[in-house]
Amino acid sequence: MAVFQSQIETKSSIFQDRFQKMEGKVKMLKEHLEEVRKWGLDSAHPHFQKNNKLPVRVRIQKLLDSSSHFLELSPLAGHEMYDFKAPSGGLITGVGLVSGRECMIIANDPTVKGGAYLPIAVKKHLRAQEVAMQNHLPCFYLVDSGGAYLPMQAEIFPDKDHFGAFFYNQSQMQSLGLEQISIVFGQCTAGGAYIPALSDKTIMVRGQSAIFLGGPPLVFSATGEKVSAEELGGARLHSEESGVADYVADTEESAIEKGRQILFARSAMPTNFMRSAVQEPHYDPKEIYGIVPEDLREPFDIRELLARIVDTSAWEEFKQNYGTTLFTAQTQISGFHVGVLASQGILFGESALKAVHFIDLCDRHKIPLIFFQNVMGFMVGKKYESQGIAKDGAKMVSAVSLSRVPRFTVIVGGSYGAGNYGMCGRAYKPRQLWMWPSAKIGVMGGETARHILASIGKKMNSEEQSKLIEKYDIESTAYYSTARIWDDGLIDPMDTRKLLTLGLQISLNAPLAERRKGVYRM
């Protein structure tokens, strides 16, 4: 494959202006990430000083192999969502190596409302379990939680994607043969008690851990019985009488080491996909900063971006001159053979049909799919409706939905309307979905919404129109998205290649399902 010949002028004023603006956005992102990570490492917090316990991120560091990565999911969950501080939503999740095996880690932060589950933490926990099931990963629960956050119980308890779904997922993971290990560091109350109870192995810390459906205050309220936390659900009781715990450790460090010992290292993962020798891109990845304009309505060549991500900046483009608003090509990322679909603005019917053909070929030949989103939606208008844009878009959505190979999505620009769906948005279960800090996501832009409302008779004065546009602008930002876990995290564009490499490596754990074929309309 020939190396892509970049047309970018890195000395130009346009490139330099875009570079500086992206650099500023990345700096802000890193400041936010540093703030939440510092919180999880703060051993000076009164909670740890008083109880002689380890901060949550230190627990994770000690569990992971010394040379391991940690692919953290949604570190900015809960960002500016509540009227109190909730770094990372009070829950840290991610994938790393434990005893040589890729594992999902779900860890409560007891300094955020006593480790109780906020609504966003429930969503984050469920997403982590979904990733574990998709990729057939063993799961560690580092439990230190007061259960559901009672002031918000209506947003946590009764619905199908609320607290009870944790335990449904744990049962499903058992049926898949995925090992689940709980290390209980503090109190594990109410519904949270089922997390260790449903795990394959449970480790408690003597004099520190406690597991009970109802804590001492609730027991007293219900029965009048006065009992200490240790008597009600401590390590001795559960290891000697109830059988809920399988191991007891004297310290947090020894409990973590016991967890590592339980998970024996195994041989290399089965190789489902083709892989060649790793080769770096021909162009400097940092040049990505100067390619994407701040105003996402300005066009740019998505190939310039890909040339800073894929091996040797080379690819085999598919249907190059057909459906040209969608780039499709086979290439390599860190040696993994992948199929890339990268949108460039509006998707036409030809673009959708090209996607269907390409996705089907990649799925047939066991080639993972990577979607780079900069999409304004599908084309509208009388001409395009008469040509069947609705059925062509439906074919694309169906092809994405039924493909069995791992799918990954990176939102690099706009992600609007049904274009989000066709390009493997969150609803289509990509293994991971990352977003650049400059990206936007929404059903449409604020100006478009204003025009539509006006056209159907909605009368608004200038102040109301300004407020509507501002609302859409705020709700389409990358930070608004990541706080609500509509993505798996905001990333430095320069880290795109590294994160996709980790995702591809993690996907090797799971066998491929049987190939499925949709019924596409004529």
Side-chain angles (χ1 to χ4, degrees):
M1 295 181 289
V3 174
F4 174 74
Q5 296 303 305
S6 176
Q7 302 301 310
I8 292 292
E9 294 289 343
T10 59
K11 303 295 185 184
S12 71
S13 59
I14 293 176
F15 179 91
Q16 293 297 327
D17 180 61
R18 291 177 179 177
F19 190 99
Q20 289 171 12
K21 287 176 178 175
M22 181 64 81
E23 200 169 37
K25 293 180 189 296
V26 170
K27 181 182 178 184
M28 180 186 294
L29 171 61
K30 289 182 176 179
E31 287 171 355
H32 285 308
L33 292 173
E34 178 60 26
E35 183 180 353
V36 299
R37 286 168 183 161
K38 185 178 179 183
W39 180 289
L41 291 168
D42 185 10
S43 58
H45 191 284
H47 177 85
F48 302 116
Q49 294 288 311
K50 178 182 176 182
N51 298 294
N52 194 30
K53 298 169 75 172
L54 297 172
V56 61
R57 290 185 181 272
V58 175
R59 291 170 178 166
I60 293 171
Q61 287 175 354
K62 290 182 177 292
L63 178 64
L64 293 172
D65 295 351
S66 59
S67 60
S68 174
H69 58 267
F70 183 57
L71 182 63
E72 186 170 355
L73 304 176
S74 306
L76 296 180
H79 177 74
E80 297 183 348
M81 284 182 65
Y82 305 113
D83 59 4
F84 51 83
K85 281 195 171 182
S88 299
L91 186 76
I92 296 170
T93 63
V95 180
L97 291 172
V98 180
S99 297
R101 290 174 63 181
E102 303 266 14
C103 295
M104 174 58 72
I105 298 169
I106 301 175
N108 302 109
D109 186 345
T111 67
V112 180
K113 299 298 181 183
Y117 276 87
L118 302 168
I120 199 64
V122 171
K123 186 173 183 179
K124 187 169 178 177
H125 187 117
L126 293 174
R127 172 61 182 155
Q129 289 181 314
E130 180 183 33
V131 172
M133 286 188 280
Q134 283 179 326
N135 295 286
H136 279 229
L137 303 177
C139 189
F140 275 91
Y141 302 97
L142 308 189
V143 187
D144 198 342
S145 170
Y149 183 58
L150 295 181
M152 293 179 162
Q153 65 86 26
E155 301 173 56
I156 295 168
F157 173 68
D159 209 351
K160 68 182 181 70
D161 289 325
H162 283 179
F163 205 80
F166 294 180
F167 319 127
Y168 176 86
N169 284 348
Q170 281 189 260
S171 300
Q172 298 301 310
M173 291 163 76
Q174 287 176 345
S175 73
L176 293 171
L178 306 182
E179 193 158 13
Q180 298 174 82
I181 299 170
S182 282
I183 307 177
V184 184
F185 294 99
Q187 293 198 5
C188 188
T189 310
Y194 289 110
I195 292 174
L198 281 165
S199 295
D200 298 287
K201 307 281 176 61
T202 294
I203 306 161
M204 296 183 72
V205 180
R206 199 184 313 278
Q208 183 173 305
S209 308
I211 301 172
F212 29 62
L213 295 181
L218 180 61
V219 169
F220 181 74
S221 174
T223 69
E225 181 183 11
K226 291 185 177 181
V227 61
S228 69
E230 181 64 27
E231 293 170 324
L232 185 62
R236 188 208 62 79
L237 175 112
H238 284 311
S239 62
E240 297 179 14
E241 296 183 35
S242 74
V244 170
D246 304 296
Y247 305 93
V248 177
D250 292 321
T251 65
E252 291 197 3
E253 288 91 340
S254 57
I256 292 168
E257 184 55 36
K258 174 57 71 174
R260 288 178 50 80
Q261 291 171 4
I262 289 170
L263 197 77
F264 290 108
R266 66 178 180 183
S267 59
M269 303 304 165
T271 302
N272 293 322
F273 315 120
M274 294 184 288
R275 192 170 190 184
S276 306
V278 177
Q279 299 185 72
E280 295 299 316
H282 181 73
Y283 300 101
D284 184 353
K286 193 163 188 179
E287 291 176 357
I288 288 173
Y289 284 10
I291 295 172
V292 180
E294 185 172 42
D295 184 348
L296 298 178
R297 291 172 297 185
E298 289 184 35
F300 66 93
D301 188 351
I302 202 81
R303 295 172 182 81
E304 296 284 0
L305 184 157
L306 296 172
R308 277 82 183 166
I309 294 173
V310 306
D311 292 8
T312 70
S313 304
W315 48 73
E316 189 68 43
E317 190 163 352
F318 179 75
K319 290 185 183 293
Q320 182 175 356
N321 299 315
Y322 179 79
T324 54
T325 59
L326 181 71
F327 169 88
T328 52
Q330 290 190 19
T331 184
Q332 290 87 43
I333 292 180
S334 297
F336 285 104
H337 291 229
V338 297
V340 169
L341 297 94
S343 49
Q344 304 197 89
I346 298 288
L347 292 175
F348 291 84
E350 296 91 341
S351 311
L353 295 175
K354 173 179 174 178
V356 172
H357 190 178
F358 184 71
I359 290 168
D360 185 64
L361 288 174
C362 288
D363 193 63
R364 189 184 310 166
H365 297 294
K366 302 181 181 179
I367 298 172
L369 294 166
I370 300 178
F371 295 80
F372 289 89
Q373 284 197 20
N374 180 37
V375 60
M376 302 305 293
F378 285 94
M379 191 62 190
V380 297
K382 179 181 177 182
K383 172 184 175 181
Y384 303 101
E385 296 293 354
S386 67
Q387 290 175 346
I389 188 69
K391 65 178 174 61
D392 293 338
K395 291 177 183 179
M396 183 174 178
V397 167
S398 182
V400 171
S401 303
L402 293 174
S403 57
R404 60 182 176 150
V405 294
R407 302 183 296 274
F408 303 86
T409 302
V410 185
I411 301 177
V412 302
S415 178
Y416 291 105
N420 170 278
Y421 303 158
M423 290 297 295
C424 199
R426 191 61 142 176
Y428 296 86
K429 303 190 186 314
R431 298 292 177 97
Q432 280 126 42
L433 187 152
W434 306 107
M435 200 167 180
W436 287 7
S438 56
K440 302 276 188 182
I441 184 169
V443 68
M444 64 183 67
E447 279 289 351
T448 306
R450 181 181 68 83
H451 283 298
I452 289 175
L453 289 172
S455 72
I456 60 174
K458 173 71 173 177
K459 294 183 179 179
M460 294 182 288
N461 59 37
S462 58
E463 183 181 355
E464 289 172 329
Q465 290 180 32
S466 296
K467 284 184 176 179
L468 174 71
I469 293 170
E470 182 183 13
K471 172 182 166 64
Y472 270 75
D473 287 345
I474 290 171
E475 292 180 357
S476 67
T477 65
Y479 284 96
Y480 194 92
S481 168
T482 205
R484 289 153 182 79
I485 316 183
W486 297 348
D487 52 64
D488 289 313
L490 305 188
I491 63 171
D492 182 341
M494 278 204 303
D495 290 337
T496 303
R497 174 181 166 87
K498 178 179 75 175
L499 291 171
L500 288 173
T501 300
L502 288 174
L504 288 160
Q505 180 64 42
I506 291 165
S507 74
L508 294 178
N509 291 275
L512 286 182
E514 290 296 318
R515 182 166 152 76
R516 299 176 294 169
K517 185 87 172 179
V519 178
Y520 303 126
R521 293 175 63 89
M522 291 294 291

